[in-house]
Amino acid sequence: MERTRVLSSLWIFLCCFNFHAVKGAQPNILFIVADDFGWNDVGFHNPGMLTPNIDKLAYGGIILNHSYVEPLCTPSRHAFMTGIYPYKSGMQHLVILPEQPYCSPLNLTFLPQKLKQLGYATHMIGKWHLGMCKWECTPTYRGFDTFLGYYQGQEDYYNKTVLGGLDFRDGKDVVRGDMTYSPITYATRADHLISKHNKSQPMFLYLPFQSVHEPIQVPEKYEDLYPNVKTEGRRKYSGMVSAMDEAIGNITESLKRNGMFNNTIIIFTADNGGWPTFYGNNYPLRGGKTTVYEGGTRASAFIYGAGLKRTGYTYDGLVHAVDWNPTLVAAAGGQPDVGIDGINLWEEIRSGLESKRTEFVYHIDEVLTLFEGHEAIRVGDYKLIQGYPGPYPGWYKPDEVTADQTIDYRPANYLRSYQKDNSSIDIGAELFNIKDDPYEHNNLAREQPALVKKMQGILDEYRKHLVPAMHPPNDKKGNPANFGGVWTPGWC
Ligand SMILES: *[C@@H]1O[C@H](CO)[C@@H](O)[C@H](O)[C@H]1NC(C)=O
Ligand SMILES: *[C@@H]1O[C@H](CO)[C@@H](O)[C@H](O)[C@H]1NC(C)=O
Ligand SMILES: *[C@@H]1O[C@H](CO)[C@@H](O)[C@H](O)[C@H]1NC(C)=O
Ligand SMILES: *[C@@H]1O[C@H](CO)[C@@H](O)[C@H](O)[C@H]1NC(C)=O
Ligand SMILES: *[C@@H]1O[C@H](CO)[C@@H](O)[C@H](O)[C@H]1NC(C)=O
Ligand SMILES: *[C@@H]1O[C@H](CO)[C@@H](O)[C@H](O)[C@H]1NC(C)=O
Ligand SMILES: *[C@@H]1O[C@H](CO)[C@@H](O)[C@H](O)[C@H]1NC(C)=O
């Protein structure tokens, strides 16, 4: 009788947790996000950038040439974690500001939660920016076994404070006194996690770097790598990129030292385009962070490693930020959720097959501010933009931040001039053929009214699922002054 019970519970165990049977085949996943990182800010797009470690992985893996993200930090991170378009979750407008009492909806399943169900150890190092007004919103409660990093959108790279509050935690514990430049802190943490990892379990490490978001800060030795760059800001920014690259090299070495490298998938992606005001560069793409032009949304990205069947080439298929959730769940041997926006592209990407994605929503944000109030979709080769595309409408070369002297690209002035005279925005819409015109020089809206109308119809269908943006006023209850000078959950 005992024996039967033991056998039957064993059977249940085998039946219901059969992922154990394929455990050997489950890859480790290292998901790297570079913050505000431009198209033209990486060696494999621009030989002037010194990123040997990134380039080696990119050239040995698959460079993703049409990998799209949202135009801003919070919406892209929401898409990475949930596989759902931000506009369907009320997460589309701007980013979560430090004292805003909201977060990514708590009824959504995050990627690490899915991977935990598949047997993964799950870790996060870096920037969260998906809300922190209550503990349930934070990484520790959303699927991560460990967390070292910060909750808000930016902070000082050394002292880890922003707006007068310390924002740095290990799990739920405040970390005080760490004055190390953040990519070094992160690489050190990654090495600890990798070294003490139980190798019989697969590992997921989500690594959204602070780099290279403003403030523009870097130890001198990295800046000194770019004596030829004239503008001080661009020189420092370039150094920040190389410091991040060194951190990635160190983490790669740690994976090798610990025998995990050849069973690891590495994904590298920007969260949005470079920010022209802070020396990020997307040339020759148009626009930048906050715009729905390609410079704000077409990410520098690659995938490397375990399970890839064809490598050393550039993948031209469409990939969107929402696709990583189901794609990585599939790579981990699981069943992607149904009813999400993301498409499982694992087989297509790893074998170099045509992408199953043929259209996507760049962004829908119904709230007009200095930065947003626009809609854009892609259908095949065509892209439709409606409304205010965002500031930075031009093409900016590195080291020449104000290259386009005819347009005052500062957000407030640009919005004002756009509102006064937006006649360049033919018939209220812009239409581009991204295949023929990837840099968005030729607005076809006037020539192709029938296509505009058709695309507007498709956009109308997408917009039916809009959940109005959550963008509550700041709440002083969240101020770190109420929590001993530390940004702390527990005020919503
Ligand atoms: C989450 O909650 C929102 C608001 O109540 C609801 O509209 C949405 O369908 C829910 N999503 C899921 C996946 O349960
Ligand atoms: C941290 O550095 C910033 C400059 O980036 C400075 O304004 C702030 O006072 C510093 N905070 C602490 C606690 O040292
Ligand atoms: C990389 O590792 C070297 C050697 O341990 C160390 O000196 C350097 O600071 C590390 N760099 C980063 C960015 O982690
Ligand atoms: C590692 O994980 C395996 C499987 O989960 C477990 O059996 C083993 O005891 C673990 N080893 C250590 C040292 O924790
Ligand atoms: C990974 O590396 C280990 C030792 O370095 C080797 O034994 C194993 O066969 C390799 N696995 C694959 C899939 O290449
Ligand atoms: C021009 O801007 C105004 C104010 O934002 C807006 O109401 C109007 O629809 C815009 N016109 C076009 C053609 O985009
Ligand atoms: C990447 O896309 C661009 C168009 O934006 C195209 O010109 C280029 O040939 C593509 N790269 C490769 C290697 O396919």
Side-chain angles (χ1 to χ4, degrees), residues 17-169:
F17 295 86
N18 61 3
F19 56 82
H20 283 294
V22 294
K23 196 159 59 182
Q26 284 181 296
N28 306 301
I29 300 171
L30 170 58
F31 191 101
I32 302 172
V33 179
D35 202 352
D36 289 1
F37 188 65
W39 177 263
N40 200 30
D41 291 337
V42 70
F44 63 80
H45 287 155
N46 171 2
M49 299 302 297
L50 305 176
T51 56
N53 297 294
I54 289 174
D55 294 351
K56 191 163 174 214
L57 294 170
Y59 288 126
I62 302 170
I63 293 175
L64 303 172
N65 201 21
H66 298 279
S67 184
Y68 285 88
V69 289
E70 301 286 328
L72 282 162
C73 308
T74 293
S76 277
R77 286 151 212 269
H78 177 81
F80 293 146
M81 287 295 111
T82 64
I84 297 174
Y85 287 131
Y87 83 94
K88 288 189 175 179
S89 305
M91 294 293 287
Q92 62 270 37
H93 189 58
L94 286 178
V95 299
I96 300 178
L97 302 174
E99 292 180 352
Q100 278 186 310
Y102 78 109
C103 69
S104 193
L106 294 174
N107 62 351
L108 302 179
T109 307
F110 274 28
L111 178 59
Q113 294 173 312
K114 291 286 292 180
L115 293 174
K116 261 178 95 70
Q117 288 165 11
L118 297 169
Y120 277 70
T122 58
H123 304 284
M124 169 170 172
I125 306 173
K127 161 169 155 177
W128 182 236
H129 216 184
L130 286 172
M132 52 75 69
C133 63
K134 60 175 127 188
W135 286 108
E136 289 78 357
C137 297
T138 65
T140 309
Y141 290 80
R142 304 211 76 169
F144 290 103
D145 297 339
T146 74
F147 164 66
L148 178 76
Y150 58 111
Y151 295 144
Q152 305 292 5
Q154 66 179 92
E155 63 183 7
D156 186 276
Y157 278 78
Y158 298 95
N159 69 30
K160 319 287 185 302
T161 69
V162 63
L163 298 174
L166 176 63
D167 188 8
F168 203 51
R169 287 185 192 254

